């Protein structure tokens, strides 16, 4: 067993760290306050090869592995958690399923420009009544000659306002239940496809999330990703990878909070000495650092299993539930170390706390992760 990053992974880590420090961290508070998609940063993500980290070069990606992707996600999210999720949705929730289920013509059209960062993708699974209960899809796709016609509503779709295409899940055979769901690649400029105004959110406010409305949205036969009825499997296996990305985003948020708390604790004087000298603060910092490290190891383990191309639902769920709860714990303690200043928008930790909260909710709540872990555990031989 070897627990160290390869030279390539370490180089990527350093590159992303420098990029985040210089180009993301100084602007993250402003982007969050303005609730503005940081479009000026997308060309830089593209030039650094961060929009398709684990996609092969022949399809526009950087041809690295899933651990490299987790490393990059942590560093980018450490600088700006909104940028982290914009990147994660494109990498994990859009490019990865097109790579795994698409044919060559689909990859040419719907993968290469996205993995190379020229275009942006999003993932349309959630509906008003289908959040945790993802199988309760009401969006319908009905045969229309060779192609399909889609009708329905998606909600909370991250990147939707800025994306060029969406992976949309829809019922094609409702009487088959979960086996009647299919996946479709739909361009945003397709007639009958509309995106709503962005949601007003507590955190990650520079990553825009919105509803998608499809009304008689006609798509060709080439839009179908995988076979009819494969949709739920496509969605769930995609989320197995997406949850590694969100775990890594949580690592980045926690890491940023520890950075800030450490700097503050060494500078802030109380009772005649830096607060870092008090054991109460030291113990908090020790717990924060320990949870971050444990979360990172779980995240790398899940990413390593994805590299082996074996089912990693349980490990991804463990990484996500642990890392997201660690991020909430760490950002809470960081705010505590800052005292009253931690409650002020003048300091970064209130944003880190707001950003951490969503990691326990999207791509499956902590309760859903526990369900996935327990189901898998109870079924294991
Ligand atoms: N890989 C492959 N197949 C899978 C699978 C996986 N990970 N998980 C389930 N399946 C298959 C099962 O094997 C089963 O098929 P068989 O009957 O042939 O065995 C079928 O799918 C149905 O599985 P379940 O009975 O477990 O399905 P369920 O309806 O009970 O749902 C669930 C399970 C875990 C609760 C699931 O609905 C779930 O994960 N819910 C959370 C949804 C979620 O994470 N949404 C996030 C939206 S995206 C987002 O948040 C993006 C963003 O903003 C950034």
């Amino acid at each position: 067993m070897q627990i160290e990053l390869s030279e390539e992974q370490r180089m990527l880590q350093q590159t992303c760290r420098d990029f985040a420090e210089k180009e993301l961290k100084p602007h993250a508070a402003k982007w969050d306050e303005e609730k503005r998609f940081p479009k000026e940063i997308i060309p830089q993500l593209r030039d650094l090869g961060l929009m398709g980290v684990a996609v092969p070069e022949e399809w526009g990606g950087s041809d690295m592995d899933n651990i490299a992707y987790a490393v990059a996600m942590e560093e980018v999210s450490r600088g700006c958690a909104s940028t982290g999720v914009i990147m994660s949705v494109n990498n994990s929730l859009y490019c990865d399923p097109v790579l795994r289920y698409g044919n060559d013509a689909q990859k040419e059209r719907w993968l290469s420009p996205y993995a190379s960062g020229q275009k942006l993708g999003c993932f349309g699974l959630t509906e008003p009544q289908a959040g945790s209960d993802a199988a309760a899809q009401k969006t319908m796709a009905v045969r229309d000659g060779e192609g399909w016609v889609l009708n329905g509503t998606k909600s909370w779709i991250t990147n939707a306002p800025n994306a060029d295409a969406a992976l949309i899940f829809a019922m094609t055979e409702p009487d088959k239940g979960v086996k009647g769901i299919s996946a479709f690649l739909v361009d945003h400029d397709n007639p009958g496809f509309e995106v709503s105004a962005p949601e007003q959110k507590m955190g990650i406010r520079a990553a825009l999330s919105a509803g998608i409305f499809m009304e008689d949205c006609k798509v060709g036969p080439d839009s179908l990703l995988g076979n009819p009825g494969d949709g739920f499997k496509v969605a769930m296996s995609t989320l197995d990878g997406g949850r590694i990305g969100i775990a890594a985003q949580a690592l980045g948020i926690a890491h940023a909070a520890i950075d800030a708390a450490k700097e503050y604790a060494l500078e802030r004087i109380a009772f005649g000495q830096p607060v870092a000298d008090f054991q109460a603060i030291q113990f908090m910092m020790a717990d924060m650092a320990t949870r971050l490290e444990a979360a990172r190891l779980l995240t790398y383990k899940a990413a390593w299993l994805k590299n082996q191309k074996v089912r990693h639902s349980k490990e991804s769920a463990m990484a996500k539930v642990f890392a997201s709860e660690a991020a909430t714990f760490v950002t809470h303690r960081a705010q505590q170390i800052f005292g009253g200043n931690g409650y002020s928008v003048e300091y970064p930790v209130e944003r880190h706390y707001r950003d951490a909260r969503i990691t326990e909710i999207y791509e499956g709540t902590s309760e859903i992760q526990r369900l996935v872990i327990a189901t898998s555990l109870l079924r294991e031989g």
Side-chain angles (χ1 to χ4, degrees):
M1 187 178 187
Q2 203 183 341
I3 308 185
E4 79 181 329
L5 298 178
S6 69
E7 199 183 334
E8 185 185 55
Q9 290 158 350
R10 266 190 285 115
M11 276 168 61
L12 178 72
Q13 185 179 49
Q14 194 56 52
T15 303
C16 292
R17 191 168 288 174
D18 295 343
F19 164 68
E21 189 66 30
K22 268 215 323 256
E23 309 290 343
L24 302 178
K25 196 174 161 189
H27 309 291
K30 181 166 61 74
W31 292 334
D32 172 75
E33 189 192 341
E34 293 172 357
K35 301 171 186 158
R36 183 173 72 74
F37 179 77
K39 65 174 184 303
E40 61 271 39
I41 221 71
I42 303 294
Q44 298 185 56
L45 293 173
R46 180 187 65 207
D47 294 347
L48 291 170
L50 296 178
M51 293 309 259
V53 177
V55 174
E57 259 174 44
E58 67 167 317
W59 300 116
S62 297
D63 212 10
M64 292 194 224
D65 69 351
N66 293 290
I67 296 177
Y69 169 57
V71 164
M73 270 298 299
E74 175 177 346
E75 294 303 331
V76 167
S77 304
R78 189 176 167 193
C80 171
S82 293
T83 305
V85 75
I86 292 165
M87 172 182 153
S88 179
V89 167
N90 193 70
N91 274 268
S92 297
L93 298 188
Y94 180 84
C95 291
D96 185 65
V98 184
L99 175 68
R100 286 181 302 113
Y101 290 94
N103 57 39
D104 282 2
Q106 288 174 321
K107 287 181 192 168
E108 197 72 55
R109 176 171 169 189
W110 277 300
L111 178 57
S112 292
Y114 294 82
S116 61
Q118 286 148 43
K119 290 187 172 181
L120 189 69
C122 66
F123 180 79
L125 177 67
T126 303
E127 298 187 358
Q129 76 299 331
S132 289
D133 186 5
Q137 296 285 307
K138 279 196 177 159
T139 294
M140 289 292 301
V142 177
R143 284 267 185 206
D144 176 49
E146 292 283 286
W148 302 82
V149 56
L150 275 65
N151 278 286
T153 301
K154 298 289 170 182
S155 49
W156 285 108
I157 309 304
T158 305
N159 282 357
N162 311 94
D164 299 282
L167 176 57
I168 295 286
F169 297 88
M171 275 289 179
T172 43
E173 288 181 274
D175 50 321
K176 288 196 178 164
V178 76
K179 300 257 189 296
I181 298 170
S182 304
F184 296 89
L185 289 160
V186 188
D187 290 323
H188 277 218
D189 60 6
N190 207 90
F193 188 99
E194 296 291 334
V195 176
S196 75
E199 300 287 348
Q200 298 299 314
K201 301 187 295 190
M202 173 183 177
I204 57 153
R205 298 192 299 193
L208 307 187
S209 309
I212 291 177
F213 305 106
M214 287 158 290
E215 197 178 349
D216 296 331
C217 177
K218 291 186 180 184
V219 295
D222 55 338
S223 278
L224 180 71
L225 186 70
N227 297 314
D230 275 354
F232 199 70
K233 197 174 71 181
V234 174
M236 290 300 116
S237 60
T238 296
L239 285 165
D240 286 344
R243 288 166 184 166
I244 299 173
I246 300 306
Q249 184 200 23
L251 299 180
I253 296 168
H255 202 155
I258 291 179
D259 293 340
K262 184 175 153 189
E263 193 183 319
Y264 190 83
L266 289 166
E267 279 173 7
R268 172 76 178 177
I269 305 293
F271 306 101
Q273 58 192 36
V275 296
D277 287 352
F278 293 108
Q279 214 171 46
I281 303 294
Q282 291 174 3
F283 281 9
M284 271 198 251
M285 299 229 36
D287 288 343
M288 290 154 75
T290 304
R291 291 199 197 196
L292 173 62
E293 186 65 15
R296 190 179 285 123
L297 291 173
L298 282 172
T299 306
Y300 288 177
K301 164 86 184 285
W304 177 80
L305 280 171
K306 183 163 165 58
N307 284 347
Q308 314 308 308
K309 298 194 184 340
V310 295
R311 177 113 176 223
H312 50 92
S313 311
K314 183 180 77 178
E315 291 78 7
S316 292
M318 285 177 164
K320 184 183 181 281
V321 70
F322 193 86
S324 60
E325 292 183 359
T328 298
F329 173 88
V330 167
T331 54
H332 175 279
R333 294 301 184 278
Q335 217 172 10
Q336 207 62 23
I337 290 170
F338 270 75
N341 284 337
Y343 205 64
S344 164
V345 295
E346 296 300 317
Y347 291 87
V349 289
E350 66 83 34
R351 173 167 47 87
H352 298 325
Y353 184 74
R354 288 188 287 105
D355 287 344
R357 288 298 292 116
I358 189 59
T359 65
E360 285 189 69
I361 298 169
Y362 60 16
E363 299 202 28
T365 60
S366 290
E367 293 67 35
I368 290 295
Q369 308 310 319
R370 290 189 166 87
L371 199 69
V372 171
I373 296 163
T375 306
S376 167
L377 189 70
L378 295 169
R379 276 192 195 144
E380 277 168 8

